[in-house]
Amino acid sequence: MTSRPKRAADVLAERLYQAGCRHAFGMPGGEVLTLVDALEQAGIRFHLIKHENAGGFMAEGVHHRDGAPAILLATVGPGAMNGVNVIANAEQDRVPMIVLSGCVDADEALTYTHQVLDHQQVLRPITKQSFRLTAAGAGIIADKAVAIATEPRCGPVHIDVPISVADQPVPADAACPMRPVASTVAPRGGDAAKARDALAKTDRPIAIIGLDVLYDDSQTVLQAFLEQFNIPFITTYKAKGILPEDHPLCLGGAGLSPLADKHLLPLVAQADLVLCIGYDPIEMRVGWRDAFDPAKQMVIDIAAVPNTHYMHQATLNFVADTCETLEMLANTTPTRATWAGGEPLKVQEALADAFPQDDDWGPAAVIAETRAVMPKTTLATADSGAHRILLSQMWRCDEPRGLIQSSALCTMGCAVPMAMGLKLAEPDRPVISFSGDAGFLMVAGELASAAEMDVAPIFLVFVDASLALIELKQRQRQLTNRGVDFVRHDFAAMGRAFGGYGHTVTSRSELRAALKEALKADRFTVIAAEIDQGGYDGRI
């Protein structure tokens, strides 16, 4: 029995499997059936979803657990266009994603117009690179795509696959090199000496830690460094949990909360040494623009890429490996007491008062009660909206990626599918998503996918029949209420209609009971937490 020749689609799929990919998501059309077959043949499970945008977020959820590039598959024309938002999200949120699209063959497109669209022209501005697959170059293109998607800073790479090329046999002598592993480096010379001298002399150091550290395995070295020099730290939302948030040096997450910034930004301004460690300011609101002044403070930026954003400037900019750089700074550098006035502790206390855990009911009570009931091993996702700002301040993380969200592009509708991806990758861990009612409505059809995938996350919905964050901004600008309120819907019934469980809760005791029941459930659960409009006033 002779085996069939290896197709270009097979080479592509095998390379993705070698990169650690085990799941792909999409809505197939006739143009990508060979790709679906090749992925499955290679050992990558293809999951049918209801919309490509949600499929991309499911893929991202898987990535945050297994570390492999996310895979989104889209058919020609409308399929690829449905994925534009999640691809842009991956570019801004630094998510390594391989976007596979089917396309009409070039010769066919010369005289045929139905669904003919230049995917590459559309996707180039929101991807790191776009390729068109060839049979002879399939291995090289696949390796380049993985390398580009995963090198700092991570992002999406698009591969357009012509219909006939996917099925085309690959020449036996086609080059298929494997990409080399880059070596890590640390700063040296005069700038390194200046940085060590600043660390030795600092009285009021502070660290701002960003998402780069999620990708460089620096957690252990980072913790040892901060503890050695007694440096309090702030994280961006994506870096939450890089060190457990009950750590005595932790000042919590920052990014979108004016209430938190009221306490954090003055402390940053008091620092004589600001260490930006893997800090990517794409997550931060405008108040963090030039939040520190290199003319008055020593600012050391340790990042994966050069600073071309100009959101802030630094005294010393190190484009270098985090671990190597921190070890260089710590080597032979003496330690000293810091923050003699106890200012970081006062900020910790002020933040605890600003985000109390003891409300009788409302969005803060929902978050506090849920955190109290859910096990420490819980993985959580957050949709965009007012609840996300509050959640990011109140939800304590004990590990990196314990709470994931769209914090750069701030996409609504991401939490439900990301939770499904997390549950696929970690079926034995509790998973919960937090959505506003408007964001949940955007992706309610994916409850059918949850039933079909046989995953059992908990989907918690804040029900106030309003775009709460936008409504709040509208009132703050003294504008007439328009376009932000809508009808209350029975979200618990939606859960039951799609084959899961559903509960509507209006108190802490009802929420606690629903969560405990959901933790034991064999199917997904929708919990609709009914809250009053205006419940976020003064809270975020």
Side-chain angles (χ1 to χ4, degrees), residues 234-539:
I234 301 164
T235 71
T236 65
Y237 289 166
K238 279 195 177 294
K240 276 173 66 70
I242 191 68
L243 274 66
E245 290 195 293
D246 59 358
H247 193 287
L249 292 171
C250 182
L251 296 166
L256 295 177
S257 170
L259 184 56
D261 288 353
K262 185 174 72 172
H263 304 285
L264 293 173
L265 286 172
L267 185 69
V268 171
Q270 292 178 57
D272 58 7
L273 172 62
V274 180
L275 287 161
C276 299
I277 304 175
Y279 172 51
D280 184 348
I282 199 168
E283 296 187 65
M284 311 302 275
R285 64 189 291 269
V286 68
W288 283 83
R289 183 188 294 150
D290 295 324
F292 23 89
D293 185 355
K296 301 176 182 177
Q297 302 163 285
M298 171 62 79
V299 181
I300 301 174
D301 205 346
I302 306 166
V305 297
N307 173 355
T308 57
H309 51 72
Y310 281 43
M311 179 83 168
H312 67 259
Q313 293 299 330
T315 316
L316 299 170
N317 289 279
F318 295 137
V319 180
D321 179 74
T322 305
C323 291
E324 296 284 341
T325 304
L326 295 181
E327 288 176 345
M328 177 277 294
L329 289 174
N331 186 29
T332 72
T333 303
T335 61
R336 59 188 294 156
T338 63
W339 294 99
E343 292 87 350
L345 179 59
K346 295 173 185 176
V347 169
Q348 286 178 332
E349 293 169 349
L351 287 168
D353 290 339
F355 300 98
Q357 305 279 325
D358 57 358
D359 284 10
D360 290 336
W361 190 239
V366 170
I367 295 167
E369 191 67 28
T370 303
R371 180 69 279 190
V373 173
M374 298 297 289
K376 288 187 70 174
T377 56
T378 297
L379 301 173
T381 68
D383 215 2
S384 284
H387 71 279
R388 177 171 75 96
I389 300 174
L390 190 58
L391 182 78
S392 297
Q393 302 303 141
M394 295 182 64
W395 188 265
R396 178 167 287 178
C397 293
D398 297 303
E399 63 178 292
R401 307 176 198 264
L403 171 65
I404 62 174
Q405 55 187 287
S406 170
S407 56
L409 196 61
C410 297
T411 292
M412 290 177 67
C414 68
V416 165
M418 284 200 297
M420 293 167 60
L422 292 178
K423 196 66 174 176
L424 274 173
E426 297 263 20
D428 296 327
R429 293 187 64 170
V431 174
I432 187 168
S433 72
F434 294 89
S435 302
D437 39 10
F440 188 86
L441 287 170
M442 289 183 176
V443 293
E446 298 302 338
L447 295 179
S449 300
E452 292 158 6
M453 294 176 186
D454 195 26
V455 292
I458 301 170
F459 303 122
L460 195 151
V461 188
F462 294 83
V463 182
D464 58 3
S466 177
L467 299 172
L469 182 59
I470 309 306
E471 189 274 337
L472 175 59
K473 292 179 179 181
Q474 197 173 60
R475 277 190 286 120
Q476 288 172 339
R477 294 177 60 185
Q478 298 181 327
L479 297 172
T480 302
N481 181 290
R482 288 194 177 98
V484 292
D485 296 335
F486 47 90
V487 174
R488 287 183 181 251
H489 300 285
D490 191 340
F491 293 92
M494 292 182 199
R496 294 190 292 270
F498 280 102
Y501 300 99
H503 306 274
T504 299
V505 299
T506 58
S507 68
R508 277 189 180 244
S509 59
E510 291 176 355
L511 174 58
R512 178 176 290 265
L515 288 167
K516 288 183 175 180
E517 189 172 331
L519 283 168
K520 297 182 291 185
D522 59 344
R523 288 171 280 162
F524 70 85
T525 301
V526 176
I527 299 177
E530 295 275 355
I531 59 175
D532 293 334
Q533 287 192 3
Y536 296 97
D537 289 8
R539 291 297 195 187

Side-chain angles (χ1 to χ4, degrees), residues 7-9 105 133-135 161-169:
R7 303 164 296 182
D105 295 317
L133 196 72
T134 65
V161 183
I163 298 167
S164 64
V165 170
D167 277 305
Q168 192 171 333

